[in-house]
């Protein structure tokens, strides 16, 4: 009886922990959907207002049409990006989808990614640097499409929160003791408040105003996608805060 009671207690404890985790996930998803609903409403309202202005106003000039159409175009792109991020995040979290793993030469892949990135107009105002450990030689087993998405999110995040003229560095090194490759994206923009670090990768948290006061706050899905992808491939991720800059890293 004592043995059975101990097993029952252990099973009950495990069930309680599972229920708490399920409740946490449900709360997080509800909060995320509330945030997304708010972010969807703002561009839709702006588009609706611009359309009403064009339809109901009289004696509009060419400049009126041009400015209204530019506003509609900007807000439509915002909606497209948000919807794409939502869809991608849900796909990554769908455990029924199989990973497409490939054996990839890490140094060659990172160099190709970097030289593609430096011609991207999103980074025109930044100094782009490549810092790959000399003689880096390792093969990683990855889903290339997902790894590219992770790096894209980290690079655009660095560009978004760094003033023009600052550095963005792609760094890579191997820890031979545990056979892991560490890849970092380092910016020299404003650091992140210490109290914000623990929440950065959560789907319901954004820190835009902490790094760039007055900036438009997004849905925070970029780093959530990084988290979801890395967990799906059994990798790790994290952030280091500096006085002048931030380093986001992943380990494969």
């Amino acid at each position: 009886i004592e043995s059975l009671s101990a097993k029952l207690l252990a099973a009950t404890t495990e069930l309680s922990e599972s229920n708490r985790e399920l409740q946490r996930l449900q709360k997080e998803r509800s909060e995320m959907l509330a945030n997304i609903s708010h972010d969807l409403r703002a561009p839709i309202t702006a588009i609706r207002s611009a359309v009403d202005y064009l339809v109901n106003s009289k004696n509009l000039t060419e400049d009126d049409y041009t400015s209204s159409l530019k506003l509609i175009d900007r807000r439509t792109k915002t909606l497209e990006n948000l919807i794409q991020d939502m869809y991608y995040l849900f796909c990554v979290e769908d455990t029924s989808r199989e990973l497409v793993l490939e054996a990839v030469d890490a140094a060659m892949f990172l160099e190709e990614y970097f030289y593609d990135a430096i011609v991207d107009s999103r980074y025109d105002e930044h100094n782009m640097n490549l810092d790959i450990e000399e003689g880096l030689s390792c093969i990683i087993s990855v889903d290339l499409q997902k790894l590219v998405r992770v790096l894209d999110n980290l690079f655009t995040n660095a560009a978004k929160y760094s003033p023009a003229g600052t550095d963005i560095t792609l760094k890579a090194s191997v820890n031979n003791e545990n056979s892991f490759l560490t890849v970092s994206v380092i910016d020299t923009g404003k650091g992140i408040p210490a109290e914000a670090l623990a929440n950065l990768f959560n789907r319901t948290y954004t820190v835009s105003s902490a790094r760039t006061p007055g900036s438009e706050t997004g849905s925070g899905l970029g780093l959530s996608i990084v988290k979801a992808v890395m967990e799906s491939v059994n990798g790790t991720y994290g952030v280091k805060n500096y006085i002048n800059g931030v380093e986001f890293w992943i380990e494969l």
Side-chain angles (χ1 to χ4, degrees), residues 48-86:
R48 181 74 265 169
S49 297
V51 171
D52 288 343
Y53 174 71
L54 292 175
V55 170
N56 298 317
S57 298
K58 298 179 180 180
N59 302 319
L60 294 177
T61 66
E62 185 176 342
D63 287 342
D64 292 331
Y65 281 107
T66 300
S67 61
S68 295
L69 290 174
K70 285 183 177 179
L71 184 149
I72 292 171
D73 181 58
R74 288 196 308 272
R75 294 298 190 167
T76 301
K77 288 177 180 176
T78 299
L79 285 174
E80 288 175 343
N81 291 335
L82 179 55
I83 292 169
Q84 286 172 1
D85 280 351
M86 290 168 52

Side-chain angles (χ1 to χ4, degrees), residues 64-194:
D64 292 331
Y65 281 107
T66 300
S67 61
S68 295
L69 290 174
K70 285 183 177 179
L71 184 149
I72 292 171
D73 181 58
R74 288 196 308 272
R75 294 298 190 167
T76 301
K77 288 177 180 176
T78 299
L79 285 174
E80 288 175 343
N81 291 335
L82 179 55
I83 292 169
Q84 286 172 1
D85 280 351
M86 290 168 52
Y87 177 73
Y88 192 88
L89 181 59
F90 293 146
C91 287
V92 170
E93 293 182 336
D94 182 357
T95 56
S96 67
R97 293 172 180 259
E98 293 185 3
L99 293 171
V100 183
L101 298 177
E102 299 179 48
V104 178
D105 183 297
M108 183 179 299
F109 164 75
L110 291 171
E111 287 180 1
E112 289 179 357
Y113 178 87
F114 176 79
Y115 288 112
D116 284 341
I118 61 176
V119 297
D120 191 317
S121 60
R122 290 176 295 181
Y123 313 120
D124 283 348
E125 296 182 343
H126 294 84
N127 305 315
M128 307 293 286
N129 305 294
L130 180 63
D131 181 11
I132 292 183
E133 182 180 84
E134 186 175 354
L136 178 70
S137 178
C138 70
I139 302 297
I140 51 177
S141 181
V142 295
D143 185 315
L144 272 182
Q145 185 262 345
K146 288 185 171 60
L147 181 56
V148 168
R149 182 59 181 265
V150 165
L151 293 176
D152 281 347
N153 285 8
L154 294 180
F155 264 80
T156 54
N157 188 69
K160 180 178 179 181
Y161 295 119
S162 301
T166 55
D167 294 344
I168 297 177
T169 301
L170 176 61
K171 181 178 180 181
S173 60
V174 169
N175 184 335
N176 290 317
E177 292 182 4
N178 60 10
S179 300
F180 275 89
L181 170 73
T182 301
V183 180
S184 302
V185 177
I186 307 167
D187 69 61
T188 51
K190 187 176 181 180
I192 300 173

Side-chain angles (χ1 to χ4, degrees), residues 213-224:
S215 69
E216 183 178 335
T217 301
S219 64
L221 295 182
L223 292 178
S224 302

